[in-house]
Amino acid sequence: MSEVNKLKHVAIIMDGNGRWANGRSHARIWGHVRGSSVVSNIVEEADDLGVKALTLYAFSTENWSRPLAEVTTLFKLLKKFLLKERKRIIKNQIRFKVMGDTSRLPQDTKDLINGLESETSNFKGLKLTFAFGYGGRQEIVDAVNAFTEKNPGEKLTEDVLTKSLYNPELGDVDLLIRTGGDQRISNFLLWQMAYAELYFTETKWPDFTRKEFRQILNKVNTRERRFGQICESISLLETSSMAEKNKKILESAMGK
Ligand code: IPE
Ligand code: IPE
Ligand code: MG
């Protein structure tokens, strides 16, 4: 990318698989199969663009209530990804993690996750995290419980809660992308998204390309992020030439 990428932590809600398949008169499961093949391209592109952390929403706590056949397919696709991408993940020094409740996954898939997590734990490349069996509210509740158990009677602060999250080293989300056309965050990274830039695209996940991903990053990199402050050029103008005017405005506003 020609411009410098300032977006360190990018999170993606990979949505629209079912509608993609239904629109082609296929079963929803086909959409998940096609969608899962997009993941490695986007991981590679994120790495090329200098993103430091990429967090992908693969299965939410709410998704447990989907039909068993669909849930089982998603388990199988996770296993297939782990088997297929292991070598490439290691070659590219990607640090891989899964966050969420994986207890209901088959034992062989849990073993593959644990294996890859420990093999890559010291890698310094892209931090790739799959949110699987993940819920943002659950993560906050778990963080509060972990803290109160260790520090009975003590009060929580924002800083301490942040450090008690599943993967505090990922930091706040800079950019959330949701594919599939819906404009909501569906219980994803609620705490970490307090100041995220949001980008919603109509493209359904199986059609999402490296090119669109790159274009989104380019566009969002030009947005001004103010974090509650005012923009730098205005603040300079205010202090240099407006002081007297401001005083008068304030006086009249206060009824003086
Ligand atoms: C996203 O696609 C994948 C998961 C939630 C696991 P969906 O399955 O939600 O697809 P749509 O939104 O119904 O099209
Ligand atoms: C969010 O998509 C979860 C994932 C992409 C894994 P959903 O399709 O489950 O979200 P809702 O139900 O439309 O909010
Ligand atoms: Mg959906």
Side-chain angles (χ1 to χ4, degrees):
M1 180 152 83
S2 49
E3 299 97 296
V4 178
N5 173 41
K6 293 175 281 187
L7 305 161
K8 292 198 190 97
H9 184 184
V10 176
I12 307 182
I13 301 178
M14 307 182 290
D15 196 27
N17 292 350
R19 281 165 288 159
W20 183 92
N22 287 160
R24 285 161 178 77
S25 307
H26 286 300
R28 295 177 52 82
I29 284 172
W30 180 235
H32 295 314
V33 172
R34 292 296 294 264
S36 69
S37 67
V38 169
V39 174
S40 50
N41 290 339
I42 301 305
V43 170
E44 212 165 76
E45 190 64 23
D47 206 8
D48 289 353
L49 295 174
V51 169
K52 304 291 177 220
L54 179 68
T55 306
L56 301 174
Y57 208 5
F59 191 85
S60 71
T61 45
E62 289 73 20
N63 291 150
W64 285 115
S65 41
R66 292 193 178 196
L68 184 63
E70 184 168 341
V71 171
T72 313
T73 301
L74 292 165
F75 287 178
K76 286 187 181 149
L77 290 170
L78 173 63
K79 180 180 168 187
K80 188 177 161 213
F81 176 90
L82 295 165
L83 288 169
K84 196 168 147 267
E85 296 301 322
R86 182 181 162 271
K87 270 195 189 143
R88 199 152 34 150
I89 286 175
I90 291 171
K91 183 172 148 264
N92 293 327
Q93 299 279 295
I94 290 173
R95 196 210 65 173
F96 177 81
K97 270 195 184 184
V98 173
M99 69 171 168
D101 178 9
T102 53
S103 60
R104 286 198 255 173
L105 281 172
Q107 191 55 47
D108 60 352
T109 311
K110 285 195 260 190
D111 292 344
L112 285 169
I113 292 171
N114 293 337
L116 195 53
E117 283 186 342
S118 62
E119 271 183 295
T120 65
S121 64
N122 292 322
F123 286 173
K124 299 284 176 266
L126 175 74
K127 290 181 169 63
L128 172 63
T129 309
F130 274 23
F132 203 99
Y134 173 87
R137 286 182 172 174
Q138 188 61 53
E139 180 177 25
I140 295 170
V141 168
D142 285 349
V144 172
N145 286 338
F147 174 80
T148 46
E149 237 168 70
K150 268 196 233 149
N151 310 280
E154 270 185 53
K155 273 198 176 159
L156 259 175
T157 61
E158 284 192 18
D159 197 35
V160 169
L161 180 51
T162 303
K163 286 183 185 134
S164 310
L165 295 171
Y166 296 148
N167 294 299
E169 73 285 0
L170 299 180
D172 280 351
V173 173
D174 295 301
L175 165 64
L176 168 80
I177 300 170
R178 182 177 186 136
T179 62
D182 288 320
Q183 304 198 356
R184 55 177 171 263
I185 54 178
S186 303
N187 201 13
F188 193 31
L189 300 169
L190 299 177
W191 182 268
Q192 299 89 329
M193 265 199 248
Y195 256 102
E197 294 295 323
L198 307 179
Y199 195 101
F200 301 101
T201 170
E202 290 295 323
T203 307
K204 293 175 183 68
W205 179 252
D207 285 333
F208 195 62
T209 59
R210 295 172 75 123
K211 187 174 168 210
E212 183 172 1
F213 183 54
R214 199 176 335 118
Q215 285 169 342
I216 292 171
L217 259 73
N218 277 333
K219 262 191 230 163
V220 177
N221 265 302
T222 64
R223 290 188 192 168
E224 186 183 36
R225 302 183 72 196
R226 292 189 288 277
F227 299 99
Q229 299 173 16
I230 55 174
C231 96
E232 220 175 294
S233 51
I234 290 184
S235 122
L236 280 173
L237 194 72
E238 290 271 325
T239 47
S240 58
S241 66
M242 309 277 277
E244 196 50 36
K245 253 193 199 163
N246 281 348
K247 203 175 142 206
K248 284 195 184 126
I249 292 170
L250 192 60
E251 277 172 6
S252 86
M254 302 304 279
K256 222 177 146 193

